[in-house]
Amino acid sequence: MSAMYREHEEMMRREFFEQTRLSRNAFRSDITEAELNRIYTRQADYDQRWYAGPHVDEWAFLQSAYDDWQQRPKQMARFVSDVEHNHQLYRDFGLTDVQRRSLFQARDLARLDHTRAPNEHPEPQHEIERGR
């Protein structure tokens, strides 16, 4: 896994947010086939760019975390609680800071999926810690 610059992480988070927004929009009742094709093309473009680049592991981790939050929110909440506890005690706890922030972004996006209609999703703010 290569080191990820702040600018790359910010781009990954924006593009992942956009990809999940597109996914929600694909299920709108009024969507046309042309719109659906554009959505799938844009989603595939995001995946292709990230899976072909140097940060494939970070993108895959974020996608897996998002899937896990959607499918197993209680288990993920317990896991993140453990991660945070260990982070406070040991600082070095097996996850990178990027992965840790990905757990939180995935949680926030999964919660949005369960609480709002597709067109009511403001972009959550995921501040990148400065001074790294």
Side-chain angles (χ1 to χ4, degrees), residues 30-31 37 76 86 107 112 129:
D30 63 340
I31 195 159
N37 287 333
M76 286 299 290
N86 290 331
R107 177 200 60 201
L112 282 174
E129 296 171 15

Side-chain angles (χ1 to χ4, degrees), residues 25-42:
N25 285 337
F27 292 100
R28 286 189 350 245
S29 61
D30 63 340
I31 195 159
T32 67
E33 188 171 336
E35 288 173 314
L36 193 57
N37 287 333
R38 279 192 296 274
I39 285 173
Y40 290 151
T41 298
R42 284 187 62 198

Side-chain angles (χ1 to χ4, degrees), residues 63-82:
Q63 284 188 320
S64 292
Y66 177 71
D67 291 341
D68 288 343
W69 273 108
Q70 288 203 316
Q71 296 170 19
R72 293 175 287 287
K74 289 180 183 177
Q75 292 89 338
M76 286 299 290
R78 194 167 38 252
F79 173 70
V80 168
S81 177
D82 290 345

Side-chain angles (χ1 to χ4, degrees), residues 3-130:
M4 187 176 228
Y5 291 111
R6 180 180 62 237
E7 299 82 19
H8 297 156
E9 183 178 354
E10 289 170 350
M11 180 185 296
M12 178 183 76
R13 299 207 182 287
R14 278 191 309 272
E15 290 187 358
F16 192 78
F17 172 82
E18 177 63 14
Q19 188 180 56
T20 60
R21 187 188 66 77
L22 289 168
S23 182
R24 287 186 297 272
N25 285 337
F27 292 100
R28 286 189 350 245
S29 61
D30 63 340
I31 195 159
T32 67
E33 188 171 336
E35 288 173 314
L36 193 57
N37 287 333
R38 279 192 296 274
I39 285 173
Y40 290 151
T41 298
R42 284 187 62 198
Q43 287 179 310
D45 288 346
Y46 287 134
D47 279 339
Q48 182 177 5
R49 179 171 46 253
W50 286 99
Y51 279 121
H55 302 298
V56 59
D57 292 333
E58 289 85 352
W59 183 258
F61 185 91
L62 180 54
Q63 284 188 320
S64 292
Y66 177 71
D67 291 341
D68 288 343
W69 273 108
Q70 288 203 316
Q71 296 170 19
R72 293 175 287 287
K74 289 180 183 177
Q75 292 89 338
M76 286 299 290
R78 194 167 38 252
F79 173 70
V80 168
S81 177
D82 290 345
V83 164
E84 282 305 284
H85 177 75
N86 290 331
H87 178 70
Q88 290 172 7
L89 288 178
Y90 308 113
R91 190 69 178 143
D92 183 14
F93 55 98
L95 294 177
T96 67
D97 288 338
V98 172
Q99 290 172 327
R100 190 170 150 261
R101 287 187 292 272
S102 288
L103 290 173
F104 297 127
Q105 180 183 14
R107 177 200 60 201
D108 294 347
L109 290 172
R111 285 180 178 168
L112 282 174
D113 289 346
H114 294 290
T115 60
R116 295 192 174 172
N119 58 351
E120 297 177 342
H121 290 269
E123 183 168 347
Q125 298 300 312
H126 296 281
E127 282 299 312
I128 307 303
E129 296 171 15
R130 305 298 181 206

